[in-house]
Amino acid sequence: MKYYLIAGEASGDLHGSNLIKSIIKVDENAEFRYYGGDKMLVAGGSLVQHYRDTAIMGFLNVALNASKILRNMNDCKEDIASYAPDILILIDYPGFNLEIAKYAKTVLNLTVIYYIPPKIWAWKPGRVEQIKKYIDKVYCIFPFEVDFYKKHGYDKVEYVGNPCVQSVSSAYKVKAEDFYLVNELDTRKKIIALLPGSRKQEVERTISLFNDIDRTEFSDCQFVLAGTSAVDHKLYNKVDRDIHIVFDQTYPLLSLASAAVVNSGTATLEAALFRVPQVVVYPVFIPRLLYYVGRKYIMKLPYISLVNIISGEETVKELVAHEAKASSVIKYLKELVYNEERRDAVLSGYEKIATTLGDNVSSDMVADDIRNVLRMRTQSDS
């Protein structure tokens, strides 16, 4: 069978690579073509375009790059039509993927499935109508998503477990002494991990916030930033010199960190699964009035981090927009590093989250079900 996958960011690349590996286990003749990244390329198949060339965030940036986005969409549609896959697999990245789904279903009549669907339960719930029209099946990664879709009249949905659980549990177990030695870290000091994200704009904003943190308040700690080759390395030139940078070692870093400051996104859940107490930040510029209006009337949930959304309570502190300032980060980070009661409370919350998510190997479950979907499609066509 021929599989076409579309992932638009680093986390999608990781989970897409695991799905490719799982599909190969059930379909030894599988062929792959995709929009993704380096991890998917290592897993197998042909990379059409790297996500670092397509990831554009923020209303203004989207508007300024409208012609580029449209060109990418048209190129993708043409490539899918030329490749003629048996199935199209979409991974998050909703603005792009839902447009591609419409074309694939209405023009090419392809089987279209969504693995890691967009978080429409928190933002733009109207997109469920597009999913009902163009998606043959949705594989959810949060248990509560199933009820959301069924409530909106879509029942071709299944919870398959969370791919972060799989990724973290199978992560390479690095030796502390090796990590400290290779990255020239001080073995006498605890690690505070800084995770700025993987998109250019968010990395720039978050690095600026990290630089403003007074590290002398944490004399027994060293601050280590998780860099990624997914963005231009020149961005990291703006990091203060006393902050260490390690590239493409996020999981080893989290496995050894005592605490973390994390830009909101998938990394918040990964930090939780590594049992690292964290402060979540999202230093986007939003006028205060607009921020409060948005939180009250537009956002459908009281939290932005996956950790708090899954737990249903404030397990970790969130600092968003004007709240994301260095003094606040220092205040809440100190509690995590030096207050055992606060640390224990966060870690207890993490255990509840792990229980809620379960231990399914999500990519294996999806691969098995995709095989059934394709078999049923073949039978209906014959």
Side-chain angles (χ1 to χ4, degrees):
M1 293 287 185
K2 296 167 67 176
Y3 303 82
Y4 202 107
L5 297 83
I6 304 177
E9 57 188 7
S11 60
D13 176 38
L14 171 62
H15 304 319
S17 70
N18 286 330
L19 181 56
I20 288 173
K21 295 172 187 175
S22 293
I23 290 174
I24 290 173
K25 289 192 289 188
V26 299
D27 182 0
E28 60 183 16
N29 297 314
E31 299 177 15
F32 301 95
R33 190 168 176 84
Y34 43 80
Y35 277 46
D38 298 334
K39 290 181 172 61
M40 292 172 73
L41 186 58
V42 170
S46 301
L47 175 64
V48 181
Q49 190 166 27
H50 202 287
Y51 65 81
R52 63 171 164 253
D53 299 322
T54 61
I56 299 171
M57 64 178 296
F59 177 81
L60 179 59
N61 284 304
V62 168
L64 293 174
N65 290 276
S67 60
K68 178 181 178 181
I69 294 171
L70 182 60
R71 183 169 63 252
N72 285 337
M73 283 185 177
N74 289 335
D75 289 346
C76 185
K77 291 174 183 178
E78 292 177 4
D79 194 64
I80 294 171
S82 176
Y83 186 63
D86 295 289
I87 189 167
L88 174 63
I89 302 171
L90 309 175
I91 303 175
D92 204 355
Y93 200 37
F96 190 94
N97 273 339
L98 287 174
E99 178 64 27
I100 297 299
K102 177 180 179 180
Y103 170 79
K105 179 56 64 178
T106 60
V107 178
L108 303 179
N109 193 31
L110 289 179
T111 297
V112 184
I113 64 105
Y114 224 128
Y115 176 44
I116 312 179
K119 300 174 184 65
I120 56 177
W121 33 266
W123 181 257
K124 296 186 178 180
R127 281 176 165 169
V128 73
E129 297 303 320
Q130 293 173 275
I131 288 175
K132 289 162 69 173
K133 288 180 181 179
Y134 311 127
I135 307 299
D136 293 285
K137 189 162 185 179
V138 169
Y139 299 100
C140 292
I141 62 171
F142 302 112
F144 59 82
E145 289 180 307
V146 174
D147 291 337
F148 170 86
Y149 280 103
K150 290 186 175 180
K151 178 182 177 181
H152 286 81
Y154 184 86
D155 59 4
K156 294 177 289 186
V157 56
E158 180 179 356
Y159 174 63
V160 293
N162 193 284
C164 287
V165 174
Q166 173 187 355
S167 299
V168 170
S169 64
S170 61
Y172 171 72
K173 303 300 187 294
V174 65
K175 293 182 179 179
E177 56 269 27
D178 292 342
F179 185 82
Y180 276 79
L181 178 62
V182 169
N183 294 295
E184 300 180 346
L185 301 177
D186 188 340
T187 57
R188 298 165 299 178
K189 292 187 175 184
K190 294 179 286 191
I191 291 176
I192 295 178
L194 304 175
L195 278 62
S198 60
R199 294 172 174 169
K200 179 179 182 294
Q201 294 89 352
E202 66 184 10
V203 169
E204 288 178 324
R205 289 196 303 264
T206 315
I207 283 177
S208 178
L209 174 62
F210 291 162
N211 286 340
D212 288 340
I213 297 172
D214 184 358
R215 271 84 68 190
T216 63
E217 296 277 352
F218 305 85
S219 59
D220 59 338
C221 300
Q222 55 198 324
F223 287 72
V224 184
L225 185 141
T228 172
S229 57
V231 300
D232 189 342
H233 278 212
K234 292 179 181 178
L235 289 177
Y236 300 108
N237 292 339
K238 299 178 181 179
V239 177
D240 283 354
R241 297 185 68 177
D242 65 316
I243 297 177
H244 302 269
I245 306 176
V246 298
F247 285 98
D248 301 319
Q249 300 177 71
T250 301
Y251 279 11
L253 173 60
L254 286 174
S255 72
L256 298 172
S258 295
V261 185
V262 185
N263 186 72
S264 182
T266 304
T268 63
L269 181 56
E270 292 171 324
L273 293 172
F274 273 106
R275 309 304 196 266
V276 183
Q278 64 185 295
V279 178
V280 176
V281 297
Y282 192 58
V284 62
F285 173 74
I286 305 175
R288 291 198 180 198
L289 178 60
L290 183 59
Y291 169 74
Y292 288 121
V293 170
R295 290 301 293 260
K296 185 172 183 178
Y297 298 106
I298 300 176
M299 294 294 291
K300 302 300 179 181
L301 295 171
Y303 306 112
I304 65 163
S305 70
L306 292 176
V307 174
N308 290 343
I309 290 170
I310 296 169
S311 66
E313 59 187 13
E314 191 182 59
T315 298
V316 297
K317 187 63 181 180
E318 298 177 354
L319 301 173
V320 184
H322 60 277
E323 299 168 345
K325 52 188 178 182
S327 59
S328 297
V329 173
I330 292 171
K331 173 185 175 181
Y332 295 109
L333 188 58
K334 275 188 171 182
E335 292 180 357
L336 299 178
V337 175
Y338 302 118
N339 186 322
E340 287 298 323
E341 184 177 350
R342 175 56 182 155
R343 285 181 62 85
D344 289 344
V346 173
L347 294 174
S348 177
Y350 286 172
E351 293 301 327
K352 294 177 183 177
I353 291 170
T355 299
T356 298
L357 295 178
D359 57 4
N360 289 338
V361 179
S362 55
S363 64
D364 283 352
M365 292 190 67
V366 174
D368 284 337
D369 200 66
I370 285 176
R371 181 175 55 176
N372 295 331
V373 169
L374 290 174
R375 184 182 297 123
M376 292 174 62
R377 175 69 185 258
T378 301
Q379 291 173 351
S380 66
D381 289 343
S382 61

